[in-house]
């Protein structure tokens, strides 16, 4: 009745869809693309692309090939590729991206680092050593 589905090696296809009205809590790990129209609370590790729909709300650290944000993201975004924030998109958190596009009306609130990851890994920007923090604090006092 339902034919056997062959495993797809096409990472650009959306294999996982979280629909509007759906709430997911917990870590999501996927090798293909992910589309979110509902609510996700928990980290996302995606080897493909992550698409955040206009009504979606995501509280997460997102690590993906590329991220397209038309909804709201609270948390960090780490991409090897491009972070696109549409006119209705909002990102409240730090980002480390290969490239960035923010449409007029889109919001990015946080620190931004544009860099190519070494060895194909995504890592958050390094924090300043405590000595540098203390020196900056004393200088401003």
């Amino acid at each position: 009745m339902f034919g056997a589905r062959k495993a797809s090696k096409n990472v650009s296809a959306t294999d996982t869809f979280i629909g509007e009205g759906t709430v997911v809590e917990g870590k999501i790990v996927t090798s293909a693309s992910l589309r979110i129209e509902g609510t996700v609370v928990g980290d996302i590790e995606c080897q493909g692309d992550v698409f955040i729909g206009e009504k979606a709300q995501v509280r997460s650290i997102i690590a993906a090939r590329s991220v397209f944000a038309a909804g709201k993201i609270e948390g960090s975004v780490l991409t090897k590729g491009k972070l696109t924030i549409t006119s209705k998109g909002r990102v409240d958190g730090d980002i480390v991206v290969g490239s960035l596009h923010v449409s007029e009306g889109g919001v990015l609130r946080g620190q931004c680092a544009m860099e190519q990851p070494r060895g194909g890994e995504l890592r958050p920007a390094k924090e300043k050593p405590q000595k540098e923090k203390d020196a900056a604090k004393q200088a401003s006092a």
Side-chain angles (χ1 to χ4, degrees), residues 41-61:
V41 179
D43 295 345
I44 298 170
E45 291 180 16
C46 181
Q47 291 178 13
D49 300 328
V50 174
F51 302 89
I52 311 296
E54 285 186 13
K55 295 181 181 179
Q57 294 190 16
V58 178
R59 289 185 19 215
S60 175
I61 295 173

Side-chain angles (χ1 to χ4, degrees), residues 57-94:
Q57 294 190 16
V58 178
R59 289 185 19 215
S60 175
I61 295 173
I62 301 173
R65 180 175 58 196
S66 292
V67 176
F68 181 86
K72 185 174 183 179
I73 299 172
E74 293 179 35
S76 300
V77 176
L78 310 167
T79 77
K80 297 175 185 178
K82 181 191 281 188
L83 169 60
T84 302
I85 303 173
T86 69
S87 61
K88 295 185 180 185
R90 179 179 186 102
V91 177
D92 291 316
D94 298 341

Side-chain angles (χ1 to χ4, degrees), residues 11-135:
V11 187
S12 67
T14 301
D15 284 344
T16 304
F17 180 83
I18 298 171
E20 188 176 340
T22 302
V23 177
V24 175
E25 294 184 13
K27 185 174 186 175
I28 297 173
V29 178
T30 180
S31 59
S33 295
L34 171 66
R35 182 172 188 92
I36 301 169
E37 296 292 341
T39 301
V40 173
V41 179
D43 295 345
I44 298 170
E45 291 180 16
C46 181
Q47 291 178 13
D49 300 328
V50 174
F51 302 89
I52 311 296
E54 285 186 13
K55 295 181 181 179
Q57 294 190 16
V58 178
R59 289 185 19 215
S60 175
I61 295 173
I62 301 173
R65 180 175 58 196
S66 292
V67 176
F68 181 86
K72 185 174 183 179
I73 299 172
E74 293 179 35
S76 300
V77 176
L78 310 167
T79 77
K80 297 175 185 178
K82 181 191 281 188
L83 169 60
T84 302
I85 303 173
T86 69
S87 61
K88 295 185 180 185
R90 179 179 186 102
V91 177
D92 291 316
D94 298 341
I95 64 169
V96 178
V97 299
S99 64
L100 174 65
H101 176 86
V102 182
S103 296
E104 185 175 347
V107 175
L108 170 61
R109 186 184 325 184
Q111 293 185 1
C112 174
M114 293 179 62
E115 57 188 47
Q116 291 298 320
R118 294 185 185 126
E121 290 185 32
L122 294 169
R123 295 185 184 176
K126 292 182 180 179
E127 261 191 50
K128 292 181 181 178
Q130 189 61 40
K131 287 181 184 180
E132 287 182 39
K133 288 181 184 178
D134 292 342

